[in-house]
Amino acid sequence: MSAPRIRLLLADDHPVVRAGLRAVLETEPDLVVVAEAATAEEAVELSATTAVDVVLMDLQFGSGMDGSEATAAVTARAGGPRVLVLTTYETDVDILAAVEAGATGYLLKDAPPEALTAAVRAAAGGRSALAPAIAARLMDRVRSRGEALSPREVEILRLVARGLSNQQIGSELYLSPATVKSHLAHVYAKLGVGSRTAAVAAATEQGYIRR
């Protein structure tokens, strides 16, 4: 009697990517793609209404919900499937957001087929499935966590990068300009910079924000 197959949901907004993944994954006798989603919202819905063991989740879907938000929604449901993030994005902020959202694994799309299928099987078994380079970067971030920017600080920096003043940032986030200024002072200290421009440059280089 053959072992039950691992049921997969492919969540990616590019049909060609989904077709390529299906072609690779279904060469393995223990893997079967049972559903596909072109949006993050559709991935959340299908994961709740379809018998799925692992969701292969992209991070960017254009407009609407992103992959990290969808991952959080999928993993929040009791008995829900595991989520394996499969993306081209490898900045620290993307990795941390996905892992904190509950992703069991994080793999880049240029991973070889054998690494992909091994990661799917690991995720299905509830084991961590992180690409070695991703795991190393996560460990580095954990070790330096005391100096990591908070989500609020990253949020403020993203608005700084868009050219907003402290007053405009305060209006957008319902904070006083003085509070924004205080947050920026902490950002400068953590990044070792002395200006808004330098803070944005350093945060971009360290993967907190994308330009």
Side-chain angles (χ1 to χ4, degrees):
M1 183 176 174
S2 60
R5 293 198 286 178
I6 297 170
R7 299 161 298 186
L8 308 175
L9 164 59
L10 306 182
D12 195 293
D13 59 346
H14 291 96
V16 172
V17 172
R18 296 198 307 272
L21 287 172
R22 179 186 283 271
V24 169
L25 293 165
E26 292 196 330
T27 60
E28 300 293 317
D30 60 331
L31 306 180
V32 58
V33 176
V34 295
E36 296 184 17
T39 67
E41 290 85 355
E42 190 181 1
V44 173
E45 181 181 350
L46 284 171
S47 72
T49 58
T50 308
V52 175
D53 300 305
V54 179
V55 180
L56 276 73
M57 182 79 73
D58 194 10
L59 286 184
Q60 299 298 324
F61 288 86
S63 60
M65 181 183 285
D66 65 26
S68 291
E69 292 170 318
T71 296
V74 170
T75 58
R77 187 171 58 83
R82 309 285 183 178
V83 176
L84 173 62
V85 169
L86 186 64
T87 184
T88 56
Y89 296 96
E90 56 177 321
T91 66
D92 291 353
V93 68
D94 289 316
I95 297 165
L96 288 171
V99 172
E100 288 171 0
T104 300
Y106 196 111
L107 210 62
L108 299 178
K109 286 181 178 177
D110 61 1
E114 60 271 20
L116 173 60
T117 53
V120 167
R121 293 185 183 105
R127 302 186 304 278
S128 176
L130 295 173
I134 301 297
R137 289 173 66 170
L138 271 179
M139 288 305 298
D140 288 344
R141 287 300 296 271
V142 168
R143 292 189 191 103
S144 62
R145 192 71 176 188
E147 292 302 309
L149 299 186
S150 70
R152 174 64 86 185
E153 289 165 348
V154 172
E155 193 174 22
I156 288 172
L157 262 183
R158 284 178 177 150
L159 296 177
V160 169
R162 282 169 45 190
L164 275 63
S165 67
N166 286 1
Q167 187 161 353
Q168 290 170 320
I169 292 170
S171 296
E172 183 123 346
L173 301 179
Y174 303 101
L175 301 172
S176 70
T179 300
V180 174
K181 186 175 181 181
S182 175
H183 277 301
L184 282 174
H186 290 136
V187 168
Y188 292 173
K190 288 180 177 180
L191 296 179
V193 298
S195 71
R196 299 164 81 88
T197 303
V200 169
T204 302
E205 183 180 349
Q206 294 180 34
Y208 283 109
I209 59 177
R210 284 196 296 272
R211 297 301 302 276

